[in-house]
Amino acid sequence: MDDFRANVAQNRDALLAIAKKNPHMAYQKVNELALFVGSRHGVNLQLHFPVPAKVADVDAYGTENIGIVVDKFRRTFPVAREIVKHKAVEILGPDARALDAYMYEGKEGVKVIMTESSRIEVLPGSVHLWCRVDDERVKKYADWLMENVYFVSASG
C-alpha cells in the first residue's frame, strides 16, 4: 500500500487534472496504476469507489475501499478460520466483530465489522478493505493476513 501511495503522490497533479476533466478516465487511470503496483508484489490491487464522487478526491486514493486479490481460485484458508477471526479481534480491538461469511459451495470467508460503515471482508484468496486503511490497526491486520494467510511460506 505504501508503494501505491507513493506512486499516487508522484502522479498526483496528472491524476488531479484528469479527475477534474473526466472522473471516469481518472477511475481507469488510478486502477491501471493499482494494477501496475500490484503486479510488482504478486497481487491484483483494486480501488473501489462506492461513492462515485470520491473519484475526484485524488488525495484519498489508496486510503480506503481497497481490494487485494492474491488467488481468486482459492476456496479455503490455509489456516483455521477461527484463527483469522481471533486475530481480527486481537489486532483491531474488542469492538471488532468477526463473523463467518460467504460460506457456500465449499468456500469460506470472514467478515470483520468494525463500525456501521467500516468492514473488512477476508476471503481465502483476497481481502477487501471497506474502511480507512491508514489506521495502524488495519495495516497491522492486513500485514498479518499477508504473512499468515496469503503468502504462507512452503517451509513454514
Side-chain angles (χ1 to χ4, degrees):
M1 290 311 310
D2 291 337
D3 187 13
F4 177 73
R5 295 281 303 144
N7 274 272
V8 167
Q10 190 173 16
N11 293 288
R12 182 185 182 277
D13 292 341
L15 289 168
L16 198 54
I18 294 168
K20 285 181 181 179
K21 287 183 182 177
N22 185 340
H24 180 70
M25 181 64 76
Y27 172 83
Q28 288 180 317
K29 290 298 178 190
V30 74
N31 273 296
E32 285 175 18
L33 184 60
L35 284 171
F36 168 73
V37 171
S39 71
R40 296 195 310 206
H41 298 279
V43 300
N44 179 343
L45 187 62
Q46 304 167 346
L47 270 64
H48 305 287
F49 295 91
V51 178
K54 293 285 274 181
V55 173
D57 188 2
V58 172
D59 293 325
Y61 288 0
T63 64
E64 60 188 357
N65 304 327
I66 298 166
I68 303 169
V69 180
V70 177
D71 179 353
K72 67 181 180 180
F73 299 108
R74 190 186 293 172
R75 299 168 65 87
T76 58
F77 292 112
V79 299
R81 188 173 61 257
E82 290 304 315
I83 293 173
V84 174
K85 290 166 37 179
H86 173 77
K87 279 294 184 180
V89 174
E90 178 184 312
I91 295 170
L92 297 168
D95 290 339
R97 292 182 299 137
L99 312 167
D100 289 334
Y102 317 107
M103 308 286 286
Y104 59 91
E105 296 176 1
K107 298 178 185 175
E108 61 181 351
V110 171
K111 181 184 286 191
V112 182
I113 301 169
M114 297 176 303
T115 67
E116 189 174 311
S117 61
S118 294
R119 71 185 187 284
I120 300 173
E121 296 171 0
V122 186
L123 301 170
S126 63
V127 61
H128 302 274
L129 305 158
W130 298 100
C131 59
R132 297 289 302 189
V133 298
D134 50 1
D135 177 324
E136 285 303 315
R137 296 170 304 160
V138 172
K139 283 183 180 181
K140 186 175 179 182
Y141 184 57
D143 286 346
W144 182 87
L145 288 169
M146 292 302 151
E147 293 171 14
N148 296 280
V149 175
Y150 302 119
F151 293 105
V152 180
S153 68
S155 63

